[in-house]
Amino acid sequence: MKKKTAALLIAALAMATVAAGCGSSNGSTTAAASTTAAATEAVTTEAAATSEAATEAETEDQAAADQAAADHVAELIDAIYVQSRTEDTDMQCEEAKAAWDALTDAQKELVEGENADPDYFGRDTGDASKDDPRNQDEIGDNEILVVSFGTSFNDSRVADIKGVEDAIAAANPDWSVRRAFTAQIIINHIQAREGEKIDNMDQALERAVANGVKNLVVQPTHLMHGAEYDEMVETVNAYQDKFESVKIAEPLLGEVGADATAVNEDKKAVAEILTAEAVKVAGFDSIEAADEAGTAFVFMGHGTSHTAKVSYSQMQAQMEELGYKNVFIGTVEGEPEDTACEAVIEKIAEAGYKNVVLRPLMVVAGDHANNDMAGSDDDSWLSMFNASGKFEKVDTQISGLGSIQGIEEIYVAHTADAMNQ
């Protein structure tokens, strides 16, 4: 319709021009010129309007295409954001990354889904090439399978998980050390983002069977005998008859104990090693010096509804038994209740401390440490401690337990104890 209108106006302009050329008097010439000018203006105005409408239409079409491309990537990300592996998982991971890479920068900002956002592929979490997935075959008769929940933060995976694995491998040169993660979601994240394939529990155990492993030792990097540990044991037990011997080592904090006051040598060692490391990083000569300077340390764990949650209370009891009155145990989940962020803030404020250092009580400094503890959102521990207005200074130390040599040595000792059972 717009093209037809423009054509009619052009025809009118042509006729006006002819009329102007045929005029025999100044009056008629002037009239014809006015007609020509009017027609020219009309054509110009209509052409501009047509061009603007076309531009708007093109812009709308491009915006729709951009959103469609972003939505497609969001759907692909949501499809692999699951705690299950299927025969399509490998293909889905590759497809999601390829589709993301094909987006423009503007399109990437539009990615939004149930779990998808621009940071899914866009966040810089370090150099994955420094990691070793430890999924090689040619295992031999003896294998130590190091089982972790996992993390998609590359630097943390290298420092914390690989750090423990390397220490165990160095202490047991006659054994092959392999890796398994229990979180399929994490495995999918790493595979999609980095192209690094890490075995889940079933894959790792099937690999051991296929390689003819006779003696299997499973060393969990879990903190305690919680739900994840129980699930791991259940999976391993299903493969018991595939090996000549299967032994499962203790998690970091050892046996849970009967009540909140029950402590053991593992908890004592972890309390001493973690506190000493945090104090050193904070620039103090001792925990007593930090106390005199009005500085409290908060070690933030995950928390759990499992009966093993008493382990957090036991760690608090252990700190108090060691005389670390300015050390407090907290949890992201707030279980036990007195480890919730608000409760910990009140404890520290009532004790009179004005400076606080937050550090994870987690083997890996992954998503919880970077976001729940030290993130910029209003519900992070750093934000809530600052928003309380009760403290002059709040610092964070984003570092997992697995990167501390003393902690690695505890895992090495647990592996040796299992071997000697």
Side-chain angles (χ1 to χ4, degrees):
M1 187 67 184
K2 290 179 180 178
K3 291 182 178 178
K4 184 176 180 181
T5 301
L8 291 172
L9 287 170
I10 291 171
L13 176 59
M15 291 175 64
T17 302
V18 171
C22 296
S24 58
S25 67
N26 289 338
S28 59
T29 300
T30 301
S34 291
T35 301
T36 301
T40 300
E41 182 179 354
V43 170
T44 302
T45 301
E46 179 64 19
T50 301
S51 176
E52 182 179 351
T55 300
E56 289 178 358
E58 290 176 3
T59 301
E60 290 175 359
D61 288 346
Q62 184 59 55
D66 288 344
Q67 190 62 62
D71 290 345
H72 178 58
V73 171
E75 291 173 359
L76 294 172
I77 292 173
D78 285 341
I80 59 175
Y81 212 109
V82 293
Q83 183 59 12
S84 61
R85 177 177 174 80
T86 71
E87 60 183 13
D88 297 324
T89 297
D90 291 339
M91 177 190 69
Q92 289 174 321
C93 289
E94 291 178 8
E95 188 178 358
K97 182 61 162 62
W100 167 264
D101 289 341
L103 296 181
T104 65
D105 289 343
Q107 289 171 338
K108 289 176 180 177
E109 292 300 318
L110 299 175
V111 173
E112 190 68 37
E114 183 179 354
N115 295 295
D117 58 46
D119 279 343
Y120 183 85
F121 283 109
R123 181 186 292 120
D124 180 10
T125 63
D127 186 357
S129 68
K130 296 179 181 178
D131 191 28
D132 179 356
R134 295 188 187 273
N135 58 1
Q136 304 89 343
D137 290 313
E138 300 181 2
I139 300 173
D141 290 344
N142 304 313
E143 175 185 347
I144 301 170
L145 181 61
V146 182
V147 179
S148 304
F149 177 81
T151 180
S152 59
F153 281 74
N154 299 324
D155 286 346
S156 297
R157 190 166 66 257
V158 171
D160 300 325
I161 295 176
K162 184 175 181 294
V164 172
E165 294 167 346
D166 288 348
I168 292 173
N172 300 279
D174 297 329
W175 289 66
S176 294
V177 175
R178 296 293 182 265
R179 170 191 291 178
F181 283 1
T182 58
Q184 185 66 48
I185 292 177
I186 297 298
I187 294 172
N188 292 353
H189 293 345
I190 298 168
Q191 185 169 336
R193 293 168 180 165
E194 314 297 344
E196 178 182 344
K197 294 183 179 180
I198 295 172
D199 286 345
N200 60 29
M201 281 292 296
D202 284 315
Q203 286 176 306
L205 290 168
E206 290 292 347
R207 187 184 300 278
V209 172
N211 276 262
V213 171
K214 295 179 180 178
N215 304 303
L216 178 69
V217 174
V218 179
Q219 174 61 67
T221 65
H222 301 120
L223 194 71
M224 62 184 69
H225 284 265
E228 291 167 12
Y229 180 89
D230 291 346
E231 291 171 5
M232 179 205 72
V233 171
E234 183 178 351
T235 303
V236 173
N237 285 341
Y239 286 82
Q240 282 278 0
D241 62 351
K242 305 291 185 181
F243 308 98
E244 292 182 9
S245 71
V246 177
K247 298 176 180 178
I248 301 176
E250 286 291 324
L252 184 59
L253 298 181
E255 291 292 341
V256 175
D259 55 44
T261 63
V263 295
N264 58 29
E265 287 303 312
D266 287 326
K267 293 182 179 67
K268 179 181 179 183
V270 171
E272 291 175 332
I273 293 167
L274 174 57
T275 301
E277 183 69 13
V279 166
K280 181 179 71 174
V281 173
F284 294 103
D285 293 331
S286 65
I287 189 65
E288 292 78 15
D291 181 63
E292 292 175 4
T295 298
F297 291 86
V298 177
F299 298 139
M300 186 195 78
H302 185 276
T304 178
S305 58
H306 191 279
T307 55
K309 66 183 179 182
V310 71
S311 299
Y312 294 108
S313 300
Q314 291 166 349
M315 283 299 292
Q316 185 66 65
Q318 181 64 76
M319 295 296 181
E320 293 167 2
E321 187 174 300
L322 289 167
Y324 301 164
K325 60 182 181 179
N326 54 332
V327 174
F328 300 82
I329 303 299
T331 65
V332 177
E333 299 294 331
E335 294 190 71
E337 291 183 3
D338 65 344
T339 61
C341 187
E342 297 83 354
V344 175
I345 288 174
E346 289 303 318
K347 288 180 187 178
I348 297 173
E350 288 176 6
Y353 295 104
K354 292 298 182 182
N355 306 312
V356 178
V357 176
L358 304 174
R359 184 180 176 116
L361 177 59
M362 301 177 181
V363 177
V364 174
D367 185 67
H368 289 305
N370 284 273
N371 295 318
D372 294 320
M373 187 187 80
S376 59
D377 290 346
D378 292 342
D379 59 351
S380 77
W381 282 48
L382 176 61
S383 296
M384 288 192 285
F385 266 78
N386 281 323
S388 73
K390 298 178 183 295
F391 311 105
E392 296 175 1
K393 185 180 181 182
V394 183
D395 292 323
T396 61
Q397 296 178 3
I398 306 177
S399 184
L401 292 166
S403 62
I404 306 174
Q405 182 179 348
I407 298 297
E408 293 170 356
E409 291 172 356
I410 294 175
Y411 282 117
V412 170
H414 284 182
T415 301
D417 289 342
M419 288 179 174
N420 295 327
Q421 286 177 358

